[in-house]
Amino acid sequence: MLGRQLNAVIKAVAGRVMNGMKRVFSGVQPTGSIHIGNYLGALGQFVELQEDNECLYCIVDMHAVTTPKDPKELRKNTLDVAALYLAVGIDPKKSTIFVQSEVPGHAELAWALMCNAYMGELSRMTQFKDKGRGGESTSAGLFSYPVLMASDILLYDTDIVPVGGDQKQHIELCRDIAARVNNRYGGVFKVPEGRFLRTGARIMSLDDPLSKMSKSAVNPLSSISLLDDGPKIRKAVMRATTDSGGEIRFDAENKPGISNLLNIYSAFSGASVAEIEKKYRGAGYGTFKNELAAVVTEALTPIRTRFKEIRESGVLKEILRDGAERANEISEKTLKRVKERLGLGIA
Ligand code: AMP
Ligand code: TRP
């Protein structure tokens, strides 16, 4: 196993250097069910990028425990996300898939970064503020969550981070911390770039098109899970909040509901919003929604089928162990460099 793994690593690294490949890193939390927002904003990009880049895709379970989680459920969700990664088309022969807590470097580097991140900048993170957190009993982990995320990224000398638009501020913070450490200690980190899509970056909730589709929403019809079946998808789409006036036209400000559905239609069908508007000119919301439900169902059915096969096949743990081995390999090198520059440990 070790020999095979080492060979694969040498090949991968040599290949990357020779082809001038970029390194890609991203992560998804194993909390709740993965929805079409996650897919259109992030996972779809993961699949596309693996063709020409060296990609590492992580299941960030340490981020999940920033708020208490049921241990059994967390482990189940971790394997579910791994299976979904494969089901949407991430290929373990091309990409490294692994679980964050299986690579100790994430926590280790996070400490060094924590000492270079400011309370002020962390307090300004909108995701933290939006959650109404910041009270006496908020965990320090939740507050410093974006520093752990910066650690995930910087640990691998990452070039590109494909994420949804909600992560923009976290990516900026990661870049700021990297630049600060580089300034203080001299060239330690590569400063990464975020990669955001135009159509899928911000899929909104179906029952409230002014807030983003979220895993933690109470109403199950506010989102569509990648594992939902046809009837559930149809129900959620048909009940989706639309706007007054029956016209199918993109206008994010005045018609946020229909605009969100147009975005979803466009992202799943590959047709442009203008083409879809033209197709449904004069048609009612009912017809449009009916066909949207069919488009989404057609896209998700093979994912659901593959997910079930993979989840039952018993291949996951082996893939995740191999992935962690490869990730450890890279991360140990970065950590050695960081410790040297910061003067940690003994030479
Ligand atoms: P999370 O489940 O919070 O770890 O998110 C996984 C990925 O999905 C991240 O890259 C998020 O930016 C992305 N994401 C989450 N919600 C949405 C959404 N409503 N629209 C687009 N992307 C999203
Ligand atoms: N914070 C991200 C989210 O909630 C998940 C995440 C953790 C991540 N570490 C990361 C994304 C590193 C990209 C890169 O969606």
Side-chain angles (χ1 to χ4, degrees):
M1 167 59 64
L2 209 64
R4 181 164 70 79
Q5 193 69 27
L6 208 62
N7 269 337
V9 169
I10 291 165
K11 253 197 253 158
V13 172
R16 187 168 104 93
V17 172
M18 267 160 49
N19 302 329
M21 268 193 183
K22 300 238 156 135
R23 192 173 278 154
V24 172
F25 181 96
S26 196
V28 172
Q29 296 189 62
T31 48
S33 58
I34 308 286
H35 52 66
I36 57 171
N38 300 125
Y39 180 62
L40 299 177
L43 291 164
Q45 295 198 66
F46 297 3
V47 179
E48 180 198 330
L49 285 165
Q50 71 181 345
E51 298 310 325
D52 302 310
N53 301 280
E54 187 197 357
C55 298
L56 293 117
Y57 296 126
C58 188
I59 299 147
V60 291
D61 56 345
M62 286 156 65
H63 279 97
V65 296
T66 49
T67 57
K69 294 287 172 321
D70 177 76
K72 271 207 191 105
E73 204 167 309
L74 179 58
R75 285 203 164 162
K76 175 193 164 292
N77 284 340
T78 296
L79 292 178
D80 281 352
V81 174
L84 262 178
Y85 273 178
L86 300 181
V88 299
I90 297 173
D91 178 352
K93 289 196 201 82
K94 295 181 184 155
S95 301
T96 300
I97 305 172
F98 70 103
V99 179
Q100 187 184 31
S101 64
E102 297 283 317
V103 180
H106 290 254
E108 204 176 338
L109 179 61
W111 181 255
L113 299 181
M114 206 93 81
C115 298
N116 288 280
Y118 298 143
M119 299 284 285
E121 61 192 356
L122 291 177
S123 314
R124 286 192 290 276
M125 293 291 112
T126 51
Q127 205 164 67
F128 180 75
K129 286 200 295 187
D130 285 353
K131 286 184 180 162
R133 303 279 166 59
E136 279 289 299
S137 52
T138 295
S139 78
L142 189 65
F143 183 64
S144 48
Y145 172 114
V147 183
L148 180 60
M149 175 165 165
S151 168
D152 299 339
I153 297 168
L154 300 178
L155 192 55
Y156 298 97
D157 290 328
T158 301
D159 297 288
I160 303 167
V161 190
V163 275
D166 61 338
Q167 298 301 311
K168 225 171 215 164
Q169 204 186 19
H170 291 160
I171 302 285
E172 270 317 303
L173 178 77
C174 171
R175 289 166 52 85
D176 288 348
I177 296 175
R180 187 175 303 143
V181 173
N182 285 347
N183 251 334
R184 277 186 185 152
Y185 297 98
V188 185
F189 295 121
K190 178 168 265 178
V191 181
E193 305 272 348
R195 185 178 191 266
F196 312 93
L197 293 181
R198 232 180 330 133
T199 322
R202 196 166 162 79
I203 299 298
M204 308 309 278
S205 160
L206 296 179
D207 65 344
D208 170 14
L210 296 180
S211 54
K212 71 164 185 171
M213 187 174 283
S214 148
K215 284 178 184 166
S216 51
V218 204
N219 176 6
L221 294 180
S222 75
S223 72
I224 296 172
S225 153
L226 289 191
L227 300 176
D228 281 345
D229 59 12
K232 159 74 207 298
I233 294 170
R234 180 159 302 275
K235 198 164 167 191
V237 171
M238 296 315 282
R239 296 245 183 113
T241 305
T242 39
D243 321 277
S244 56
E247 213 187 337
I248 293 152
R249 178 170 54 82
F250 191 94
D251 176 350
E253 204 166 303
N254 300 306
K255 293 168 79 72
I258 275 295
S259 300
N260 187 40
L261 297 183
L262 276 166
N263 254 338
I264 295 171
Y265 196 127
S266 166
F268 275 114
S269 66
S272 72
V273 168
E275 283 164 352
I276 303 164
E277 282 175 338
K278 195 166 156 215
K279 179 169 181 195
Y280 292 100
R281 192 165 295 149
Y285 285 162
T287 311
F288 170 69
K289 282 178 157 183
N290 235 318
E291 292 181 20
L292 171 60
V295 165
V296 177
T297 303
E298 196 185 318
L300 298 191
T301 303
I303 295 177
R304 193 158 44 96
T305 311
R306 276 200 298 272
F307 172 85
K308 279 197 196 127
E309 284 165 12
I310 294 162
R311 201 63 178 86
E312 284 158 17
S313 71
V315 297
L316 283 173
K317 287 191 180 165
E318 170 95 8
I319 289 172
L320 292 172
R321 274 190 209 110
D322 284 357
E325 214 169 308
R326 164 86 183 122
N328 264 310
E329 189 87 37
I330 305 173
S331 70
E332 277 164 15
K333 282 196 198 119
T334 312
L335 270 171
K336 190 162 177 274
R337 186 176 78 225
V338 172
K339 286 171 87 172
E340 233 165 60
R341 299 281 159 84
L342 269 65
L344 292 167
I346 49 176

